[in-house]
């Protein structure tokens, strides 16, 4: 089949949407499909359109639906779609109606959809093909924060928590990700001057980022909203414990009984978890075992099979529709 994948233009390098589009394109090409990846759809003879981000890609959704009514139109919902836009934005809400199939990236995402939309939704976990071995340093407790500096990520929550641990000189935070605004850059630079245990390394190549993750004791994901953080997949594949804000998207990735959640925007609670993870080997082992248990969810083979099955199902549904018209 001829398939187009639309991933909206991003202000930051190596965006999550772009990574997802590239992985899905490879899965489908390996199955013999002809796949084109672009930032928008204007026209073409594609049999299937896959769109990442309902609101940002709405024009492509509308054009494809008008040009190819009834053709498979798969919309992948991001965190800002699920936890903000589909509640208030008319384009995002209309995209849910126009889609033939919807995809959420973790199990809790289904709860955000109305019943009529949930019926055409699938859960497809993102995957990570990471070959690094978990090898944190022995003489310090290293904390990784990975993600571009933007408000949705609450990027300095870990630095605030670090400031609540003045006696723990062995704890350090390594923050990797591009500053998406001048104010974010200035804030990161101010934190480095104020707190010698905090280092912001900016945007780094993916391999270098994974090296820092593998050489850290824990990963902190402090996001205000998440559709399904790919860095959690990467941490699980390596075996790095995660401390995460207790929001739906993180719970959907790590499970409701995971022991590493802290209340949203609560740096005092995060500081307590950091202290506990650093000093309590049993608690640390509990976190590590839990993320390793989730590892199969994030295997490339699992994601690839789910993507190929979705495209097959969408094609079968269209053929059935044509026979009954």
């Amino acid at each position: 089949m001829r398939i187009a994948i639309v991933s909206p233009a991003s202000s930051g390098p190596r965006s999550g949407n772009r990574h997802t589009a590239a992985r899905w394109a490879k899965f489908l090409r390996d199955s013999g499909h002809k796949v084109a990846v672009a930032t928008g759809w204007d026209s073409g003879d594609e049999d299937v359109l896959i769109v990442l981000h309902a609101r940002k890609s709405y024009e492509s959704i509308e054009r494809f639906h008008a040009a190819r009514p009834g053709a498979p139109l798969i919309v992948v919902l991001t965190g800002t779609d699920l936890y903000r836009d589909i509640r208030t934005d008319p384009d995002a809400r209309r995209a849910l109606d126009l889609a033939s199939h919807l995809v959420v990236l973790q199990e809790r995402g289904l709860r955000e959809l109305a019943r009529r939309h949930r019926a055409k939704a699938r859960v497809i976990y993102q995957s990570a093909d990471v070959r690094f071995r978990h090898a944190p340093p022995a003489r310090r407790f290293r904390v990784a924060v990975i993600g571009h500096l933007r408000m949705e990520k609450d990027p300095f929550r870990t630095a605030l928590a670090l400031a609540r641990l003045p006696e723990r000189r062995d704890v350090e935070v390594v923050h990797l990700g591009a500053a998406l605004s001048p104010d974010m850059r200035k804030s990161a630079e101010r934190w480095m001057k104020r707190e010698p245990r905090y280092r912001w390394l900016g945007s780094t190549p993916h391999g270098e980022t994974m090296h820092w993750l593998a050489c850290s004791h824990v990963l902190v994901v402090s996001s205000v909203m998440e559709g399904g953080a790919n860095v959690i997949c990467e941490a699980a594949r390596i075996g790095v414990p995660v401390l995460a804000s207790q929001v739906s998207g993180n719970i959907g990735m790590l499970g409701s009984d995971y022991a590493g959640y802290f209340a949203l925007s609560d740096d005092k609670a995060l500081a307590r978890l950091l202290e506990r993870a650093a000093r309590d080997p049993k608690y640390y082992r509990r976190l590590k075992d839990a993320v390793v248990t989730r590892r199969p969810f994030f295997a490339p083979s699992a994601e690839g099979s789910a993507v190929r099955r979705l495209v097959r199902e969408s094609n079968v549904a269209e053929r059935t529709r044509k026979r009954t018209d």
Side-chain angles (χ1 to χ4, degrees):
M1 284 190 291
R2 298 178 301 276
I3 301 169
I5 300 178
V6 168
S7 175
S10 172
S11 58
R14 294 184 293 279
S15 73
N17 287 336
R18 199 176 306 170
H19 276 303
T20 302
R23 284 196 316 276
W24 285 31
K26 184 178 187 305
F27 294 144
L28 294 169
R29 286 172 184 146
D30 288 349
S31 296
H33 298 292
K34 184 177 180 180
V35 184
V37 179
T39 58
W41 189 90
D42 292 311
S43 62
D45 59 354
E46 287 81 11
D47 303 299
V48 180
L49 178 66
I50 300 173
V51 171
L52 286 83
H53 208 299
R55 178 181 62 81
K56 290 184 179 180
S57 299
Y58 178 71
E59 290 183 3
S60 295
I61 294 169
E62 188 176 45
R63 281 194 291 264
F64 186 82
H65 183 265
R68 302 288 310 280
L73 202 176
I74 300 167
V75 177
V76 183
L77 299 172
T78 67
T80 51
D81 280 330
L82 279 175
Y83 301 110
R84 185 181 65 200
D85 295 340
I86 63 173
R87 301 173 185 179
T88 60
D89 186 86
D91 287 349
R93 295 169 71 88
R94 174 70 172 152
L96 300 183
D97 294 327
L98 297 182
S100 63
H101 297 73
L102 298 168
V103 174
V104 296
L105 301 177
Q106 39 77 21
E107 59 198 37
R108 285 277 181 121
L110 293 174
R111 300 186 181 190
E112 304 302 313
L113 301 177
R115 184 175 299 177
R116 71 183 188 280
H117 295 137
R118 199 177 305 160
K120 59 181 178 181
R122 308 286 186 277
V123 179
I124 299 181
Y125 288 95
Q126 298 182 92
S127 68
D129 185 14
V130 184
R131 308 298 174 90
F132 286 84
R133 182 177 63 88
H134 190 204
R139 297 187 178 220
R140 65 180 69 93
F141 189 84
R142 181 176 292 147
V143 180
V145 179
I146 298 173
H148 297 320
L149 279 59
R150 56 192 178 99
M151 293 301 294
E152 290 86 353
K153 300 293 184 182
D154 192 13
F156 303 112
R157 191 59 51 189
T158 309
L160 287 163
L162 185 62
R164 291 182 177 274
L165 300 171
E167 304 302 320
R168 294 305 302 248
R169 307 315 298 174
D170 59 326
V171 176
E172 67 174 16
V173 173
V174 177
H175 194 164
L176 303 105
L180 300 190
S181 71
D183 285 345
M184 285 292 181
R185 173 177 291 276
K186 290 176 184 176
S187 293
E189 291 170 348
R190 281 197 297 266
W191 268 110
M192 284 194 290
K193 290 178 181 178
R194 184 189 319 169
E195 175 53 79
R197 295 171 295 170
Y198 172 84
R199 281 186 288 166
W200 173 56
L201 302 184
S203 179
T204 57
H206 187 254
E208 184 178 341
T209 301
M210 291 300 97
H211 169 76
W212 278 109
L213 177 59
C215 292
S216 298
H217 290 83
V218 297
L219 168 74
V220 172
V221 179
S222 55
S223 305
V224 174
M225 59 179 73
E226 277 291 353
N230 193 243
V231 71
I232 291 179
C233 306
E234 292 164 334
R237 298 296 292 172
I238 296 171
V240 181
V242 181
L243 301 179
S245 54
Q246 196 167 14
V247 297
S248 177
N250 290 337
I251 297 170
M253 294 288 283
L254 292 164
S256 58
D257 58 350
Y258 186 67
Y261 298 122
F262 59 93
L264 180 63
S265 303
D266 189 342
D267 42 279
K268 186 176 181 180
L270 174 56
R272 286 196 296 266
L273 291 186
L274 288 170
E275 174 71 21
R276 187 178 178 189
R279 67 173 173 77
D280 185 343
K282 288 184 178 179
Y283 175 67
Y284 185 81
R285 173 52 60 180
R286 180 182 173 190
L287 294 178
K288 187 173 177 67
D289 289 347
V291 297
V292 169
T293 298
R294 302 290 286 186
R295 186 180 284 166
F297 286 84
F298 313 129
S301 59
E303 185 185 26
S305 295
V307 171
R308 290 188 289 267
R309 184 167 57 251
L310 173 64
V311 169
R312 282 198 307 271
E313 289 175 357
S314 71
N315 189 46
V316 169
E318 184 188 21
R319 291 203 305 267
T320 301
R321 180 191 62 80
K322 286 180 176 179
R323 284 198 300 269
T324 58
D325 283 351

